[in-house]
Every structure is written in C-alpha cells, then in structure tokens.
C-alpha cells in the first residue's frame, strides 16, 4: 500500500502545474492582428535546405515550397495532387504493373517566387541533387533504397559498397573518378525528366511500398535548378557533385538554399533574424485555383504574414500567448495542465462535438482525442557494455547487480513484460488519453492487427518466468533466489519516461523484494551517449515517424536505430531484416500485410522490448481561428497548417 501511495504521489507531482501559476487569463478571444499569425517556436532551424530534412525547418519549408503530392487533408495514407497534376496509380498508368516505374505529370503554369517557371527539369534536378548531396544525417535514404536497392541508404555506397566513404567528403572526392561519374549517371538514369511531355519518371531497383509516402515530406520540396546554381549550389554537372556530398547544416546555413529559400508555395520568405524570428509573407500569385479537398484553401493565403518567434523555453512562449502577442505555442504532455487553464472550449476530434468549459471566456480551444505521430516504448540491451558501467552494479547476478548478458535470457525479458502494470501507467500517468500498442506499426497502417497477441500485467506469470530463467550467478545461483539490482535511466525533464521507470520499479519489487531498480535522470547528451555506448541495461525510446508507413516503424526497432543500440543478436536482426524486405518489396498489399503479421508475431515471441502506448495528441489554438484539421504525420507547429486557417472577424 505504501508503494502504491508513493507512486501516486510521484505521478501527481510530475503532472501538477507549478504552484506559482499566474492568475487566470480571460482576455477576449480576438486576435490583435488578424493579418498576422505568430507562433512561439522553441529554438530555430539549423538550415532551410530541404535536402537535409532539418525538423524545425519543416514548418517553414511546408509554406515556402510545394511538393509533387500532398496529404489528403487528415488522411495520412491517401494523397492529393500537388505540383503533379494527378497522383500516380496503377489505374491511371502512373505506376507500372511491376511497381518499378513511377511517372509524375508536372502541373503547367506554376512559377517560383522569383518569377521563373517551374519545369520537369527543376523537379528532376531537385531529387538528383538531394540524393547526390546525401549524407547519413539526411533523409535521402527514403529515396535511395527504392531507386538503388534495399540497404543502399546513402549515395556513397554506389562508390564504395563497404561504407568506408560514409559522410567523408574528402575521401569521396579522392575516390576513383570513373566510379564517381558512374554513381552520378545512375542517379540521373533513375530520375528522368521529359521536358516535351512535362513528366518526371522514377525507375526503381525494386518495388517499394513506402515510395509514394516519401514525397509529401519537406525533403520532397521542389527547388529551382537555376536558382540553386546561382546561389553556389550544385550545377547539375556529374564532374562536380562530390564537392557537395554530405553537406552539413552549418555549411548549408550560409548559402541561399539554406538561409533564403525561394520556392513556389503559398508563402514567400521575407527574412530570418537569427535568434529572434523567421518571417514569411503571403504569395499573391499562388497557383492553386481549386481546393485540394472540400472546404480546403485555394489561392493566396487568408493570413498574410507568418512570424516564427524564437523563444528559449515554454514559459517565455506562454507569456507571449497570454499577452496576445503569440497565436500559438506547442505544448508537450507535461505542459497540458498549464495550458488547460486557458481553455474556454474543448472539441473532441473523434466525435466532432465541442463543449464550453466552466469558464468560456478563456481564450483557447482545445482539440483532443487524436492519435499522435510518435510512441514511447521500453527496450532491452542484450549485450551490455560492462566497462566502467555503474548501471549494472556489481556486473554479476549476486543480488547487487546483473551480468552483461542478463537480458539475453528470454525468460527475463518475458518476466519484465508480464511485470509491467500497463493499466496503471495508462490511467495514472497518461490520464487515460492513450491507446495500447499491440504491433510495431500504428493503427491504420499495413500489417496492423488489433488481434495481435500482446503482454499484459500478470504478477503470477512474471514470477514463473523469473523462476524459469536459465541465466545463473556465481555458484549457479538463480535470479529468483539472489535477486538483482540495476539502474534505469531517463533523460532529465521527461516525465513520461520517469513514469515508465516508476511503474516498472513498483511492479518488480511487488513480485520479489529482492528485485531492485534504481532510477536516475541524466542530461540528454549523457543519456544518449550511454545508449550509444551500450551501457544502459534497458532504456525508454521514443520514435517519431518520418513517413506514414509500416516500414518506417519496423526498421528502427528490428534492424536499425534501436536494434543497434540494444545489441540485438545478428541472427535475430537477420530474421527481422529478411521479413521486412520481403514485405516492403511485395507488390500485393494483402500478401504484404501477411508478412508484416509474421514479423509482428516474431517480435512478440522474442520480446526485444515492451510496446507501450501511443499518447493521444492535443492542440491548443485560439478560438478566433477556423480551418484546423489534424493529420497524424504532421507534428508540432506544422500540424496547424496555417495556409488552411482563417481568422474569425
């Protein structure tokens, strides 16, 4: 009982707003300036070069540039035409029957902000440039794996297949000239413009189910070839591309492409004052004459100016919002209680119903009950690095630590899976605003099946699995008799991860008082370094999808980012990788779903980690705007899509 009360106290204190919360704000829900939208932005982009995919810059690029296709309003799995006159399909001939050719018909009459016409040549150049610029910190792997083969995640692999040139521009420049030229020619052969027909055709190395999903993102922004060339960027010559390989954000930021973008989108870039603001103004000549969906925006933007005001912390942005000097501030889960004090109306996106709060004079409208684009889970390290490692105590199964291979025992992993109190975590920590994850991918994605077996809180099964564990300590001691001690770390200030640790700590000690988890918070850089060094025995992870596709969820957990950090055995990674590639290259959607189902079952049986909850999203907008819609792939400030908003007089 004491443990339960202690946990409840910790959870409540983690979610309770600061006692020094300023007096309630009840200013009239009216904009100070209906022609301007001000967003308080935490930090600022490193670069505005679309090829580098800088996340903070995505909210700027979405307005300055256009992409070939766009999302169908709130449906992340369906698309509408953008710069392409139609979305390629099998039915309209845009996708070949074998899934190896995609053809986009480029919309006529579109002009860049400098007045020059947008052509098929510009579109092809955009993707050729992005792929050749490459670098592992960029999102270009979204295209290279499709165009050159699964596993080819960077252009440098076409020059040196062993990966020795990854992110090494100097070494790439010194590579064999013939191989460099051949790599460039392969890129140009894969992305082919036809000026007469006004088309761009992509030739794939293998069918690739997420290929279309890769185009609506910021990295699909179409640039002017002539403008890039005059701004000091790649000129399209195969002899010069190595000079631009693995361009860093810092290098890009001092070029026009990275600091003064020129696109064809609904807003034009005005200025960027570092550390203060980025300002965009409406494009009066925007080409879109008809709404992409019923009730959607068309023509020049209604809101004439967008201001991204840089703030250092949430409290600074909150002060601007309360004073009416900002229209929007992004709020994480931890900040919801404070934001709730400003809400005068709540709208449920699932039901469509809106209800006034106890104080309808408050200035904000809360949109809730929609799935977010990310999830926080807990994963196990199969081969912990023991060197100077305090997270595993004595490093032995002697009651004061754990051995480095502790989580290589499947019974230990299953015991942890049965010992996590999922319901307590959801109800007490997440306030019931979350959905249990049962597969690697999210609901609605190919391969998702709500009937997939999953783990649940079962102390008796937990005890059985610990007693069945094969791992032994000195003298053959069993874990159930000796107990263990380990440290579970999370990054400072992340209350969701803190709550995960606390729930697991309580559940394990309730099963066996000899099971001890010590919880520690670490600065983000230290937490990440400990992960990369393989020293954390288990750790919480948060994945935010790049594209709305199952492949983008499966890879990091089974053969990519997290699989590497948790030292998954190569044999298991190979099993996952083979299943993944078989599915992602499968043309038949039904067969692809079956293969993903097999992969999900393997993840369940092997328990590399605990799939927890996808926290419901929230968005707090001023009550003087209409036109908000939610798309699960669009996060943060981009999720408001200001081009679609209009202020109520």
């Amino acid at each position: 009982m004491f443990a339960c009360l202690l946990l409840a106290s910790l959870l409540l204190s983690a979610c309770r707003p600061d006692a020094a919360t300023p007096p309630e704000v009840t200013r009239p829900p009216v904009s100070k300036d209906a022609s301007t939208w001000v967003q308080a932005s935490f930090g600022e982009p490193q670069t505005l070069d679309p090829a580098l995919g800088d996340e903070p810059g995505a909210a700027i690029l979405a307005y300055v540039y256009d992409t070939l296709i766009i999302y169908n309003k709130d449906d992340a799995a369906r698309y509408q035409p953008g710069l392409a006159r139609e979305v390629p399909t099998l039915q309209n001939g845009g996708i070949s029957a074998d899934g190896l050719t995609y053809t986009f018909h480029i919309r006529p009459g579109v002009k860049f902000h400098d007045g020059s016409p947008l052509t098929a040549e510009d579109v092809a150049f955009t993707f050729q440039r992005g792929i050749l610029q490459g670098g592992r910190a960029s999102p270009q792997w979204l295209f290279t794996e499709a165009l050159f083969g699964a596993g080819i995640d960077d252009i440098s692999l076409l020059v040196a297949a062993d990966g020795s040139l990854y992110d090494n521009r100097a070494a790439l420049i010194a590579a064999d000239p013939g191989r460099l030229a051949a790599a460039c020619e392969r890129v140009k052969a894969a992305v082919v413009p036809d000026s007469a027909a006004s088309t761009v055709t992509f030739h794939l190395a293998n069918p690739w189910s997420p290929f279309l999903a890769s185009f609506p993102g910021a990295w699909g922004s179409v640039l002017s070839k002539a403008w890039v060339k005059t701004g000091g960027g790649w000129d399209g010559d195969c002899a010069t591309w190595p000079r631009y390989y693995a361009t860093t954000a810092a290098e890009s930021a001092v070029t026009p492409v990275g600091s003064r973008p020129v696109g064809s989108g609904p807003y034009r870039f005005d200025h960027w004052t570092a550390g203060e603001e980025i300002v965009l103004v409406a494009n009066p000549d925007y080409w879109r004459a008809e709404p992409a969906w019923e009730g959607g925006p068309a023509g020049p933007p209604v809101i004439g100016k967008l201001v991204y005001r840089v703030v250092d912390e949430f409290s600074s942005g909150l002060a601007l919002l309360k004073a009416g000097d900002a229209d929007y501030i992004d709020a994480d889960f931890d900040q919801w209680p404070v934001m709730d004090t400003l809400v005068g109306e709540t709208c449920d996106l699932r039901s469509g119903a809106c209800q006034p709060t106890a104080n309808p004079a408050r200035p904000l409208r809360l949109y809730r009950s929609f799935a977010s684009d990310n999830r926080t889970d807990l994963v196990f390290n199969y081969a912990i690095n023991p060197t100077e490692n305090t997270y595993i105590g004595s490093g032995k199964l002697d009651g004061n630590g754990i051995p480095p291979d502790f989580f290589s025992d499947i019974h230990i992993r299953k015991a942890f899976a049965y010992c996590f109190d999922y319901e307590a975590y959801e109800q007490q920590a997440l306030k019931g605003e979350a959905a249990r994850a049962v597969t690697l991918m999210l609901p609605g994605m190919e391969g998702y099946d709500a009937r997939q077996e999953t783990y649940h809180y079962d102390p008796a099964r937990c005890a059985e699995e610990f007693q069945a564990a094969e791992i032994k300590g000195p003298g053959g001691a069993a874990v159930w008799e000796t107990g263990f001690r380990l440290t579970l770390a999370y990054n400072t200030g992340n209350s969701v991860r803190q709550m995960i640790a606390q729930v697991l700590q309580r559940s394990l000690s309730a099963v066996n008082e000899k099971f001890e988890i010590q919880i520690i918070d670490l600065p983000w850089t230290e937490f990440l370094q400990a992960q990369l060094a393989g020293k954390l025995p288990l750790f919480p992870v948060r994945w935010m999808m790049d594209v709305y596709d199952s492949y983008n969820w499966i890879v990091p957990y089974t053969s990519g980012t997290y699989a590497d950090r948790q030292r998954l055995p190569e044999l298991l990674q190979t099993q996952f990788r083979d299943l993944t590639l078989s599915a992602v290259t499968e043309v038949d959607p039904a067969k692809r779903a079956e293969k993903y189902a097999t992969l999900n079952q393997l993840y369940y049986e092997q328990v590399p980690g605990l799939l927890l909850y996808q926290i419901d999203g929230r968005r707090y907008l001023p009550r003087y705007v209409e036109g908000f819609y939610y798309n699960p792939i669009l996060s943060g400030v981009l999720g408001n899509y200001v081009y679609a908003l209009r202020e109520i007089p």
Side-chain angles (χ1 to χ4, degrees):
M1 183 178 295
F2 174 76
C4 293
L5 290 172
L6 176 60
L7 175 67
S9 173
L10 288 168
L11 294 177
L12 287 171
S13 65
C15 297
R16 186 182 297 121
D18 195 313
T21 300
E24 184 170 306
V25 176
T26 58
R27 64 176 174 78
V30 177
S31 172
K32 282 187 174 181
D33 181 358
S35 67
T36 301
W37 178 266
V38 180
Q39 295 193 169
S41 177
F42 304 119
E44 60 188 324
Q46 297 182 73
T47 176
L48 294 177
D49 182 352
L52 287 174
D54 180 64
E55 184 180 334
I60 309 297
L61 302 177
Y63 302 119
V64 175
Y65 290 103
D66 286 308
T67 54
L68 288 173
I69 57 177
I70 62 175
Y71 297 109
N72 184 13
K73 192 182 179 182
D74 52 3
D75 190 341
R78 295 173 60 228
Y79 312 102
Q80 291 283 2
L83 292 176
R85 289 190 285 117
E86 59 185 2
V87 179
T89 65
L90 287 168
Q91 291 71 27
N92 64 25
I95 303 176
S96 61
D98 59 8
L100 296 179
T101 303
Y102 285 67
T103 300
F104 293 87
H105 293 264
I106 308 307
R107 187 182 299 274
V110 176
K111 292 185 178 182
F112 288 108
H113 297 156
D114 62 5
S116 61
L118 186 150
T119 67
E121 182 71 20
D122 292 307
V123 175
F125 168 80
T126 292
F127 292 97
Q128 293 167 357
R129 168 188 177 266
I131 292 168
L132 288 168
Q133 184 168 295
R136 298 191 79 184
S138 81
Q140 297 305 318
W141 55 271
L142 291 167
F143 300 109
T144 56
E145 284 200 290
L147 298 175
F148 310 120
I152 306 297
D153 59 358
D154 186 64
I155 185 64
S156 66
L157 291 179
L158 296 187
V159 182
D162 62 358
S164 59
L165 299 179
Y166 269 136
D167 293 337
N168 191 333
R169 186 187 306 149
L172 185 94
I173 291 174
D176 176 71
R179 296 189 67 85
L180 292 172
C184 180
E185 293 300 335
R186 278 192 68 180
V187 172
K188 291 191 173 185
V191 186
V192 182
D194 183 332
S195 298
S198 194
T199 62
V200 175
T201 300
F202 292 80
H203 298 284
L204 280 60
N206 37 235
W208 201 253
S209 60
F211 192 59
L212 271 185
S214 302
F215 285 92
W219 43 80
S221 301
V222 173
L223 292 76
S224 161
K225 179 178 180 179
W227 174 72
V228 171
K229 180 178 178 180
T230 57
W234 183 52
D235 58 5
D237 187 344
C238 278
T240 61
W241 79 267
R243 303 176 196 168
Y244 302 92
Y245 171 67
T247 295
T248 66
E251 291 172 329
S252 171
V254 298
T255 68
V257 176
S259 61
R260 301 188 299 280
V262 173
S264 61
Y267 286 90
R268 296 176 176 177
F269 176 81
D270 186 79
H271 69 270
W272 179 358
T273 303
E276 296 183 17
E277 64 180 14
I278 298 176
V279 176
L280 311 179
V281 295
N283 176 10
D285 303 316
Y286 191 47
W287 57 266
R288 185 174 289 283
E290 299 293 333
W293 57 82
E294 185 177 353
V302 174
I303 297 176
K305 180 186 291 186
L306 305 187
V307 179
Y308 292 83
R309 187 158 295 160
V310 179
V311 294
D312 295 328
E313 56 187 8
F314 175 75
S315 60
S316 301
L318 184 64
L320 292 173
L321 187 69
K322 289 182 175 181
D325 294 325
D327 298 284
Y328 179 80
I329 181 174
D330 200 24
D332 287 334
F333 178 83
D334 299 348
Q335 292 137 3
W336 289 358
V338 175
M339 296 296 290
D340 286 343
T341 65
L342 304 176
V343 174
E345 184 180 42
T346 299
C347 296
D348 188 301
L349 285 185
R350 291 195 181 101
S351 67
C354 294
Q355 298 290 336
T357 64
N359 189 341
R362 293 171 179 170
L364 300 185
R365 179 183 296 120
L366 166 60
Y367 294 92
R368 62 187 301 177
S369 300
F370 52 85
S372 60
D373 64 348
N374 64 86
R375 191 178 69 222
T376 298
D377 300 310
L378 187 70
V379 298
F380 305 117
N381 188 342
Y382 282 57
I384 305 164
N385 177 0
T387 305
E388 298 181 358
N389 191 342
T390 59
Y391 304 108
I392 57 174
S394 65
K396 302 175 182 179
L397 192 60
D398 56 4
N400 292 310
I402 58 171
D405 59 348
F406 185 66
F407 286 109
S408 66
D409 189 321
I410 192 170
H411 294 291
I412 296 292
R413 301 195 301 275
K414 286 186 175 182
F416 272 68
Y418 283 120
C419 251
F420 189 85
D421 194 338
Y422 301 91
E423 186 175 345
Y425 172 57
E426 178 195 10
Q427 295 300 320
Q428 299 174 28
L430 304 181
K431 308 184 181 83
E433 296 189 49
R436 179 72 197 278
V438 297
T439 64
L440 287 164
M441 65 282 292
L442 302 184
M445 293 183 176
E446 286 186 314
Y448 177 83
D449 187 347
R451 299 166 298 177
Q452 168 65 44
E453 292 182 275
T454 190
Y455 293 94
H456 55 277
Y457 181 49
D458 189 336
R461 290 290 303 273
C462 172
E464 290 175 7
E465 292 293 345
F466 273 123
Q467 292 166 3
E470 299 176 359
I471 197 163
K472 303 294 182 182
V479 65
W480 185 256
E481 284 73 32
T482 62
F484 62 82
R485 179 183 298 167
L486 62 84
T487 297
L488 202 170
Y490 69 94
N491 53 300
T492 304
N494 192 314
S495 65
V496 171
R497 295 183 176 186
Q498 179 185 13
M499 293 168 193
I500 291 172
Q502 290 167 347
V503 169
L504 186 60
Q505 180 189 56
R506 180 199 67 173
S507 301
L508 285 168
S509 63
V511 168
N512 188 331
E513 61 182 10
K514 296 179 182 179
F515 296 165
E516 182 179 349
I517 286 187
Q518 298 175 326
I519 300 173
I520 184 174
D521 66 306
L522 301 173
W524 169 251
T525 53
E526 188 175 339
F527 176 66
L528 181 59
Q529 288 170 357
Q531 275 189 48
L532 297 175
K535 292 189 174 184
L536 300 182
L538 72 168
F539 49 94
V541 298
R542 175 176 178 261
W543 184 253
M544 179 181 291
M545 55 188 166
D546 302 291
V547 296
Y548 192 83
D549 188 88
S550 300
Y551 180 75
N552 195 232
W553 277 95
I554 290 170
V555 171
Y557 284 83
T558 60
S559 59
T561 305
Y562 301 137
D564 289 341
R565 295 179 190 178
Q566 62 185 117
R567 275 53 176 175
L568 285 193
E570 185 56 38
L571 179 60
L572 181 58
Q573 288 201 46
T574 298
Q575 286 181 273
F576 280 131
R577 191 178 296 112
D578 290 347
L579 282 169
T580 302
L581 294 181
S582 178
V584 76
T585 57
E586 172 60 60
V587 177
D588 186 331
K591 292 180 180 179
R592 188 160 58 243
E594 290 176 3
K595 293 176 180 181
Y596 280 144
T598 301
L599 187 147
N600 278 316
Q601 182 64 22
L602 179 61
Y603 195 91
Y604 165 77
E605 293 171 355
Q606 291 299 315
V607 211
L610 308 186
L611 303 182
L612 300 178
Y613 286 86
Q614 183 184 4
I615 301 175
D616 287 353
R618 286 189 177 190
R619 195 80 80 235
Y620 296 85
L621 270 74
R623 292 167 61 198
Y624 49 75
V625 295
E626 292 180 340
F628 170 75
Y629 67 92
Y630 177 76
N631 191 305
I633 191 64
L634 303 177
S635 62
V637 293
L638 181 56
N640 300 323
Y641 199 52
V642 180
Y643 177 50
L645 296 181
R646 55 191 179 276
E647 297 198 11
I648 305 170

